[in-house]
Amino acid sequence: MSKVFFQMVDTLEMGGTERMSINIAKVMADQGFESHLVVSRRSGGMSSKVPREINLHFLEKKNSFDFGAFMRLLKLVRKFRPQIFHAHSTSVFWAIGIKILSGKFQLVWHDHFGLSDQLDQYPRKEMVPLSKWIDKVITVNDKLTSYWRGNLPLKPEQIITLKNFPFLILPKTTKNTKFTFLHLANFRAQKNHFNLIQAVALLKERRKDFEVVMVGEIVEKELYESILNRIKEENLSDFILVKGPSLQVEDYLACCHAGILSSDSEGLPVALLEYGLAALPVICTQVGDCDKVISSDQYGYLIPPSDAPSLADAMEKLLGSSDHGEEKGRALKQKIEVEYGSAAFFSAYSSFVSAV
C-alpha cells in the first residue's frame, strides 16, 4: 500500500505559507510519499514553483459554502485515501468537514498565524470546540504553541512547534554595483515598510552609496499606494526601488548584499531563512522567533520593532564593512542548513505524526 500525503492550502499566491506548502510537498515526495497539494481557492504566482512530482489539484472554491468544491475535495480524499491530511491555516475548516465524513486519516493543522506578538487578537476562537477532530497541531513558533496548549483540549505533546524550512536554488550572478538591501515581504501592515522608509531617510543624510529593493505580493493595495506616496514625499526614489511581486526571488537574493525585515510581528518568516541560505547578512526586528535564527551578532543584527534610528544604524554598520557582513552571511548560511533544513524538518515531522 502506497503512502499518501495530502496538503490543503487556500491559494498559491506568493507568501510564506504557500512557499512552505510547496516545500513540504517536495520533501514528502522525496521521502517516498505520493504527495498531493490541494489548492482550495485560487492559484497564483507560486504555482509555477510546484515540482512535477507533486499531484496538484484546484478546487476553485468560491466561498465557504461552495458545496460543489467541497464535494470535489471529498471525492479526492475517497479516491486517494491519504493517511495524513495536512491543512494549512484556514483550510482546516473544510478539512474538519472531510474528517467527519471520511475520517480515516490523521488530520494535522498547521497554524501560520503571523501576529504571534498580539495573540490577544487571535480571530479563531472557534478552533477550541472544533479541535476534537484534529489529531495534531503544528505551529510556526513557541508563542503559538504555548497559546494553543493553554486553550485547546489536546495533550501538550499533540501540539508542537516545527521550524519552517526553505528550499532555494540560486542562479549564478554577480552582486549589484551599489550596496543593495533586500526587503522581501508582502505589502501588508505588519511588515511595516514605513519603518524602513524612515530608516532610509535617516541614513541618506549620512551616506549615498546604497539602495533598498522592496519585493513582495501586494496584499493591501491602499497600503501599497501609501508606501509609494511616502517614498516620493521623502524624495527617496533614488534609494528605494519598489518591485512588487516577483516569481524570481532567487535572482534578487543572488544579486543583493544584505536582507532586511522591519516587521512589527512575525511567526518564523521564510524570507529570513532564505536570506540565510543565500548567505546574506541580516537585519531583523526582534519579533516572533526571529531571535532564534539571529541568536547572536555572529549572524546579523536584531533591532527593536518600529525603531527607525536603530535600523538605520545597523544598515550603516553593514555598509561600513562588507567583509564583516559577508562573514555573518556565511555563518548564517551554515546555521540555516544545519538547523532549518528539509532533513531536520522531516525527522521531526515523522516523529510527531505516528502514521509516518
Side-chain angles (χ1 to χ4, degrees), residues 195 261-262 283-287 301-305 307-308 310-312 314:
N195 183 44
L261 285 174
S262 62
I283 304 168
C284 184
T285 47
Q286 189 167 358
V287 292
Y301 297 107
L302 273 181
I303 59 171
D307 187 340
S310 293
L311 177 52

Side-chain angles (χ1 to χ4, degrees), residues 186-353:
N186 287 344
F187 290 86
R188 54 185 176 192
Q190 78 177 92
K191 302 298 184 179
N192 202 344
H193 291 72
F194 295 106
N195 183 44
L196 178 54
I197 293 171
Q198 187 179 352
V200 170
L202 293 172
L203 186 57
K204 185 187 76 165
E205 300 305 314
R206 307 175 204 170
R207 53 197 305 163
K208 314 291 186 184
D209 56 339
F210 73 96
E211 64 184 7
V212 172
V213 176
M214 293 182 173
V215 177
E217 187 80 20
I218 302 170
V219 178
E220 299 172 15
K221 189 173 181 180
E222 289 185 7
L223 176 76
Y224 176 75
E225 296 294 336
S226 297
I227 289 168
L228 295 179
N229 290 334
R230 178 70 63 84
I231 291 170
K232 290 179 181 177
E233 291 168 3
E234 298 285 347
N235 295 317
L236 296 176
S237 298
D238 291 337
F239 293 87
I240 302 177
L241 309 178
V242 180
K243 297 296 185 178
S246 174
L247 290 176
Q248 304 303 325
V249 169
E250 295 88 348
D251 292 342
Y252 290 105
L253 289 164
C255 69
C256 292
H257 298 83
I260 290 178
L261 285 174
S262 62
S263 308
D264 288 332
S265 183
E266 286 285 0
L268 177 58
V270 176
L272 178 57
L273 305 180
E274 290 178 335
Y275 290 160
L277 274 193
L280 299 182
V282 170
I283 304 168
C284 184
T285 47
Q286 189 167 358
V287 292
D289 274 2
C290 294
D291 59 354
K292 294 187 176 179
V293 181
I294 312 300
S295 53
S296 75
D297 286 351
Q298 176 186 1
Y299 306 110
Y301 297 107
L302 273 181
I303 59 171
S306 299
D307 187 340
S310 293
L311 177 52
D313 289 344
M315 293 169 72
E316 188 171 22
K317 287 178 182 177
L318 288 180
L319 280 169
S321 177
S322 59
D323 291 342
H324 191 53
E326 290 175 4
E327 184 179 329
K328 291 180 185 293
R330 288 192 295 269
L332 181 57
K333 180 178 182 179
Q334 184 177 17
K335 179 176 182 176
I336 296 300
E337 289 175 341
V338 172
E339 297 183 18
Y340 295 86
S342 60
F345 177 89
F346 182 78
S347 177
Y349 193 95
S350 60
S351 297
F352 181 55
V353 183

Side-chain angles (χ1 to χ4, degrees), residues 14 19 44-49 245-250:
M14 288 174 281
R19 285 179 179 274
M46 292 302 298
S47 60
S48 64
K49 301 293 185 180
S246 174
L247 290 176
Q248 304 303 325
V249 169
E250 295 88 348

Side-chain angles (χ1 to χ4, degrees), residues 30-31 84 90 120 155 207 221-222 352:
D30 290 345
Q31 294 293 335
I84 303 168
T90 55
D120 57 320
K155 295 178 180 178
R207 53 197 305 163
K221 189 173 181 180
E222 289 185 7
F352 181 55

Side-chain angles (χ1 to χ4, degrees), residues 96-115:
I96 288 171
I98 298 297
K99 174 84 170 180
I100 293 170
L101 295 174
S102 185
K104 295 181 180 180
F105 54 77
Q106 282 202 63
L107 176 54
V108 179
W109 177 40
H110 200 154
D111 186 9
H112 296 263
F113 186 63
L115 299 176

Side-chain angles (χ1 to χ4, degrees), residues 136-167:
K136 308 280 185 178
V137 177
I138 293 172
T139 76
V140 293
N141 62 55
D142 290 337
K143 291 180 181 178
L144 271 177
T145 294
S146 296
Y147 176 83
W148 283 126
R149 284 180 175 174
N151 286 277
L152 294 182
L154 295 172
K155 295 178 180 178
E157 61 268 23
Q158 293 175 299
I159 307 172
I160 67 167
T161 303
L162 274 188
K163 302 171 183 177
N164 285 343
F165 68 95
F167 176 76

